Amino acid sequence: MSSPQFRDGAPLPDDYSCKGGQGNPPLRWSGTSGAKSVALVVDDSNPLSGPEVHWVVFDIDPATTELGMNDVPRGARQGRTTSGKVGYAPPCRPGGSYRFTVYALNAKELGLEQGADLTRTLESIASHTIARGRLTANTIE
């Protein structure tokens, strides 16, 4: 997993935080050729009040290997975030550890609707995961 906008372990550019307004950063990945679908989860693994999920996208075609800035692949669905929003909820906490994780899944579809409940979505992704890749942004620029 990679991004043309930041390296693993580097800060997340302000443009993709709650101060920027650009939406999600562009992302690229490989190694999902044996999957039936792909999912993407963005979370802060280090908040004070427990993990915070900023974005969930699922039912991504396995032939897809990149996501543009402020983009959702055709046919993909988005689940609810910790805040209840459907779509990218930009991170705000400067001290966060923001994980962009792509999951290769053994199911063509998760059987969940657009705006699905966060707990149901994460449980479904976990039960179908066959591989994963991760890009981490430590803090926000």
Side-chain angles (χ1 to χ4, degrees):
M1 180 118 191
S2 65
S3 174
Q5 297 300 317
F6 65 99
R7 291 183 329 275
D8 189 49
L12 180 69
D14 236 1
D15 290 347
Y16 308 108
S17 75
C18 63
K19 297 176 185 174
Q22 291 294 323
N24 65 276
L27 301 167
R28 297 180 182 140
W29 59 85
S30 61
T32 57
S33 60
K36 292 186 179 176
S37 71
V38 173
L40 174 71
V41 175
V42 179
D43 73 310
D44 180 354
S45 65
N46 201 19
L48 304 173
S49 59
E52 185 174 357
V53 176
H54 293 278
W55 198 24
V56 181
V57 185
F58 56 93
D59 294 348
I60 301 171
D61 185 308
T64 302
T65 58
E66 62 183 84
L67 194 71
M69 184 174 65
N70 206 21
D71 187 33
V72 176
R74 186 180 352 179
R77 295 183 177 153
Q78 299 178 91
R80 295 198 178 276
T81 64
T82 301
S83 68
K85 177 182 178 180
V86 176
Y88 184 70
C92 284
R93 204 170 66 78
S97 180
Y98 300 104
R99 302 183 303 187
F100 294 77
T101 308
V102 64
Y103 296 90
L105 307 177
N106 64 4
K108 184 170 172 59
E109 292 184 356
L110 294 182
L112 301 170
E113 68 282 351
Q114 173 82 0
D117 173 76
L118 177 59
T119 301
R120 280 183 52 218
T121 305
L122 294 178
E123 287 173 353
S124 187
I125 290 169
S127 69
H128 291 287
T129 296
I130 55 175
R132 72 173 170 82
R134 180 172 288 156
L135 173 65
T136 302
N138 292 320
T139 200
I140 297 172
E141 271 184 339

